[in-house]
Amino acid sequence: MELIDAIKGRRSIREYKPDPVPREMIKDILEAGNWAPSAKNGHQWRFTVLTGDSKNRYNEMFRDTLNMFIQKQGRDEAGSAPWTLEVMQEAPVVIIVWNTNDNGWISEEQSVAAAIQNICLRAHDLGLGSLWIGDVFYAYPETRAYFGKEWKLSGAITLGYAASEGKVPKKKSLDEVAEFLE
Ligand SMILES: Cc1cc2nc3c(=O)[nH]c(=O)nc-3n(C[C@H](O)[C@H](O)[C@H](O)COP(=O)(O)O)c2cc1C
């Protein structure tokens, strides 16, 4: 696949078939993440891959945390999180993404974001759907405690065979986001 086709053809996929994703394919996709540029070549990303029961147990914890949040703050404050959780239930693979944050630099978070984008692009290249998820931040301390990690939580990614094509969102035109100064 041409790079530009991968970049423009990748969509956020929120409906998945139950078919499992072979371990070798997940590794191939993570390898693409591991080749991202990183601040001081620090490879600040870490990945925890959840499938089967491990995924279901994490999702249960997330659901409990989210329900408590909604009880206290109200449903509106939870935004898209309950919906995102449904996507995480349906997807056969959920990858928790960490930032080792060795130096406390913003650049370290940017390195992790570059890895996530590589992962989403390689997934698309291999015929899989993916979703970049920030809603796990509703369970930020809980997720760290659940896995016993000292790292910063950077988000999550779902992977799986798409059950429906993602809707092409309206993208801003280049004129709206770039300026050329001479
Ligand atoms: C940092 C980040 C966090 C995101 N978090 C979520 C999320 O929690 N739930 C969700 O459904 N989509 C999430 N998305 C996906 C965006 O909604 C999506 O990328 C955007 O609508 C553009 O659609 P596209 O990915 O198909 O181009 C996230 C995307 C990014 C980059």
Side-chain angles (χ1 to χ4, degrees), residues 99-155:
N99 166 6
T100 57
N101 194 42
D102 302 315
N103 297 290
W105 301 329
I106 293 172
S107 315
E108 292 172 315
E109 195 54 46
Q110 293 173 334
S111 307
V112 179
I116 296 174
Q117 176 68 349
N118 273 12
I119 285 169
C120 293
L121 289 176
R122 180 61 176 155
H124 178 63
D125 190 28
L126 293 176
L128 290 174
S130 67
L131 180 67
W132 184 333
I133 293 171
D135 279 338
V136 285
F137 295 142
Y138 280 93
Y140 189 98
E142 293 83 359
T143 300
R144 293 174 86 211
Y146 181 85
F147 292 105
K149 305 291 189 198
E150 298 287 316
W151 303 320
K152 281 169 86 173
L153 175 63
S154 287

Side-chain angles (χ1 to χ4, degrees), residues 163-178:
S164 68
E165 282 180 20
K167 208 170 145 241
V168 182
K170 187 168 164 20
K171 298 281 182 184
K172 287 184 196 268
S173 73
L174 193 56
D175 287 344
E176 292 173 274
V177 299

Side-chain angles (χ1 to χ4, degrees), residues 19-181:
D19 314 31
V21 180
R23 171 77 60 96
E24 284 313 308
M25 215 166 168
I26 300 174
K27 282 184 164 179
D28 179 315
I29 290 165
L30 291 179
E31 184 72 15
N34 199 34
W35 273 86
S38 60
K40 301 280 183 198
N41 198 29
H43 297 66
Q44 291 89 356
W45 45 77
R46 296 291 183 275
F47 308 111
T48 300
V49 181
L50 307 176
T51 57
D53 279 349
S54 70
K55 190 202 71 167
N56 293 336
R57 284 195 297 270
Y58 174 73
N59 282 346
E60 266 173 46
M61 184 284 290
F62 186 30
R63 188 184 300 281
D64 290 346
T65 306
L66 206 52
N67 284 341
M68 278 191 288
F69 175 89
I70 289 171
Q71 266 175 16
K72 279 195 207 141
Q73 313 266 338
R75 171 64 188 80
D76 284 355
E77 292 298 314
S80 60
W83 186 35
T84 299
L85 175 58
E86 295 313 311
V87 180
M88 291 164 65
Q89 286 285 102
E90 197 171 87
V93 183
V94 172
I95 302 169
I96 307 294
V97 184
W98 310 97
N99 166 6
T100 57
N101 194 42
D102 302 315
N103 297 290
W105 301 329
I106 293 172
S107 315
E108 292 172 315
E109 195 54 46
Q110 293 173 334
S111 307
V112 179
I116 296 174
Q117 176 68 349
N118 273 12
I119 285 169
C120 293
L121 289 176
R122 180 61 176 155
H124 178 63
D125 190 28
L126 293 176
L128 290 174
S130 67
L131 180 67
W132 184 333
I133 293 171
D135 279 338
V136 285
F137 295 142
Y138 280 93
Y140 189 98
E142 293 83 359
T143 300
R144 293 174 86 211
Y146 181 85
F147 292 105
K149 305 291 189 198
E150 298 287 316
W151 303 320
K152 281 169 86 173
L153 175 63
S154 287
I157 308 165
T158 52
L159 291 180
Y161 293 93
S164 68
E165 282 180 20
K167 208 170 145 241
V168 182
K170 187 168 164 20
K171 298 281 182 184
K172 287 184 196 268
S173 73
L174 193 56
D175 287 344
E176 292 173 274
V177 299
E179 61 179 357
F180 291 80
L181 308 178

